[in-house]
């Protein structure tokens, strides 16, 4: 076994205890302290602790309400499916799951890969839309962990991959299945398609991130595959800090919908988590139903067999030719040096 593929993600605590959740949130807030300017070092820890303790009770309640986060279980299943798919294609690679903010942390997985005898690492963020606090930050964390371990190993990186045609197809199929079960016609003018996209601070967009562009593009592509001409996009923003976030908020979108049914598509996620199972299925549903709307949330196709093929397609060429770029991909504009589908081909 020569190559280790590390599937990277934010992560989310399985165990909703105060100790675990506060530590998770402190890592997130500490990483993004630049959003509040250059605080003196002595203020950083106090501010991080304040933000984490303010947010923790709400997140603990959300996690308990959904029976604990299923994110890790689904991530492990995806890694196993990818490893099996690569094996079927004749590649000998081991797939690992690592998180930016909860266990198993990226540094711990790097140590494990080294102990396993890996001589080449591919960082694969499981974020279809490349963003600065997700894809870019996760790959930076991977590089940092390898450097801190003083490990002389080749590292290749994958950026965004939302333009893969099977990504579009599996989401379009998931929407169709939800609409069919609900007995609604997506082309009915009284049925509104609403894409829920994880939000990001506008400071990142103003600094050059193409995240909003990618979000609008993927929503348009999936809608086109469904034959839907008119739809809405709303962002799930976490306004813990006094900074501007992407707009409009998905709650505002729901408040303004003129329809009888809303079909909500959490397009930026590939695993179920509190943002989908609590924020959408409970909070947003409550908002919609309070207006008399029938609410239908599309489940994330986290176990769709095509997902393993999508991920295999973006890493397999790097396995076959470690010094080349994946077919249909180019250098990532958000993360120079990474192979990215978003920078290479037009949406299909």
């Amino acid at each position: 076994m020569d190559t280790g593929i590390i599937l990277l993600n934010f992560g989310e605590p399985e165990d909703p205890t105060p100790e675990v959740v506060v530590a998770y949130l402190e890592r997130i807030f500490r990483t993004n302290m630049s959003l509040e300017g250059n605080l003196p070092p002595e203020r950083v820890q106090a501010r991080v602790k304040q933000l984490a303790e303010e947010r923790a009770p709400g997140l603990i309640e959300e996690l308990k309400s959904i029976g604990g986060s299923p994110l890790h279980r689904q991530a492990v299943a995806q890694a196993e499916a990818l490893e099996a798919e690569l094996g079927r294609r004749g590649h000998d690679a081991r797939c690992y799951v690592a998180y930016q903010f909860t266990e198993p942390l990226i540094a711990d997985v790097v140590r494990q890969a080294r102990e396993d005898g890996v001589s080449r690492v591919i960082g694969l963020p499981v974020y279809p839309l490349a963003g600065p606090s997700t894809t870019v930050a996760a790959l930076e964390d991977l590089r940092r962990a390898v450097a801190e371990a003083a490990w002389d190993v080749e590292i290749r990186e994958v950026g965004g991959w939302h333009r893969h045609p099977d990504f579009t197809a599996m989401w379009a199929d998931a929407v169709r299945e939800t609409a069919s079960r609900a007995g609604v016609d997506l082309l009915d003018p009284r049925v509104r398609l609403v894409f829920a996209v994880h939000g990001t601070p506008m400071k990142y967009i103003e600094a050059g991130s193409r995240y909003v562009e990618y979000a609008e593009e993927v929503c348009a592509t999936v809608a086109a595959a469904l034959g839907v001409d008119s739809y809405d996009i709303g962002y799930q923003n976490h306004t813990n800090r006094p900074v501007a976030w992407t707009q409009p908020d998905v709650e505002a979108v729901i408040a303004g919908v003129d329809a009888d049914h809303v079909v909500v598509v959490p397009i930026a996620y590939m695993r179920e988590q509190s943002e989908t199972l609590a924020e959408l299925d409970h909070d947003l549903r409550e908002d919609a139903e309070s207006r008399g709307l029938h609410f239908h949330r599309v489940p994330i196709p986290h176990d769709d067999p095509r997902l393993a093929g999508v991920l295999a397609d973006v890493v397999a060429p790097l396995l076959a030719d470690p010094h080349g770029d994946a077919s249909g991909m180019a250098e990532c504009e958000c993360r120079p040096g990474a192979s990215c589908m978003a920078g290479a081909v037009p949406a299909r």
Side-chain angles (χ1 to χ4, degrees):
M1 192 270 296
D2 178 59
T3 302
I5 300 170
I6 302 181
L7 282 70
L8 304 163
N9 191 262
F10 246 59
E12 186 170 66
E14 287 186 285
D15 182 15
T17 62
E19 296 77 14
V20 171
V21 172
V22 168
Y24 165 72
L25 291 169
E26 284 183 343
R27 294 185 187 106
I28 294 175
F29 290 126
R30 184 176 295 108
T31 297
N32 295 297
M33 279 310 297
S34 62
L35 290 171
E36 298 191 36
N38 296 317
L39 292 179
E42 62 271 16
R43 282 278 298 127
V44 168
Q45 181 54 35
R47 179 60 172 153
V48 164
K49 183 177 178 63
Q50 175 193 3
L51 290 166
E53 291 181 347
E54 287 176 353
R55 172 69 180 116
L59 180 55
I60 291 170
E61 183 178 346
E62 289 176 0
L63 291 171
K64 286 182 176 179
S65 73
I66 63 175
S69 176
L71 185 150
H72 181 61
R73 296 191 300 276
Q74 294 176 8
V76 170
Q78 289 171 353
E80 292 173 347
L82 174 57
E83 189 170 306
E85 175 63 23
L86 290 171
R88 283 191 290 271
R89 299 186 186 193
H91 298 292
D92 183 21
R94 178 174 296 184
C95 294
Y96 301 85
V97 170
Y99 302 119
Q100 294 168 260
F101 302 115
T102 193
E103 297 180 349
L105 293 165
I106 292 172
D108 298 329
V109 174
V110 162
R111 284 192 290 272
Q112 184 61 57
R114 186 177 190 178
E115 291 174 7
D116 291 340
V118 165
S119 60
R120 179 176 47 182
V121 168
I122 296 177
L124 174 59
V126 186
Y127 300 114
L129 307 177
S133 62
T134 52
T135 299
V136 175
L139 292 170
E140 289 176 350
D141 287 348
L142 176 61
R143 289 270 179 184
R144 186 180 305 110
V146 169
E148 290 176 353
W151 186 17
D152 183 16
V153 65
E154 179 187 5
I155 306 175
R156 301 303 306 275
E157 301 175 353
V158 174
W161 40 270
H162 71 271
R163 288 185 177 176
H164 194 293
D166 281 349
F167 177 79
T168 300
M170 66 185 184
W171 267 112
D173 286 346
V175 176
R176 289 190 191 98
E177 290 171 13
T178 296
S180 177
R181 285 196 305 271
V184 300
D185 181 356
L186 292 167
L187 303 184
D188 185 330
R190 300 305 299 169
V191 175
R192 193 66 177 175
L193 188 65
V194 176
F195 291 94
V197 181
H198 195 289
T200 194
M202 284 302 299
K203 183 176 287 189
Y204 295 142
I205 305 302
E206 292 161 359
S209 170
R210 296 175 63 191
Y211 182 79
V212 168
E213 176 186 336
Y214 297 152
E216 293 175 349
E217 179 182 82
V218 74
C219 294
T221 304
V222 172
L226 294 165
V228 174
D229 296 325
S230 182
Y231 55 88
D232 291 304
I233 301 173
Y235 291 92
Q236 289 177 254
N237 294 320
H238 293 168
T239 53
N240 306 93
R241 291 167 165 166
V243 297
W245 281 66
T246 39
Q247 294 298 320
D249 291 328
V250 71
E251 295 87 353
V253 169
I254 292 298
V257 163
D258 179 16
D260 297 323
H261 297 263
V262 288
V263 178
V264 177
V265 188
I267 194 71
Y269 303 93
M270 285 317 305
R271 297 155 185 169
E272 297 285 4
Q273 52 203 279
S274 63
E275 282 93 344
T276 56
L277 298 171
E279 292 180 14
L280 296 182
D281 289 356
H282 181 270
D283 299 344
L284 196 65
R285 176 186 294 275
E286 189 175 79
D287 290 347
E289 292 179 347
S290 71
R291 295 195 57 233
L293 297 169
H294 296 280
F295 182 92
H296 315 284
R297 202 270 286 181
V298 179
I300 293 174
H302 62 87
D303 56 354
D304 189 308
R306 288 171 289 188
L307 178 58
V310 169
L311 299 179
D313 283 348
V314 299
V315 300
L318 300 181
L319 292 168
D321 179 8
H323 301 293
D325 281 324
S327 176
M329 301 179 79
E331 184 174 47
C332 183
E333 293 185 18
C334 303
R335 176 68 177 175
S339 295
C340 181
M341 190 167 286
V345 295
R348 288 174 280 183

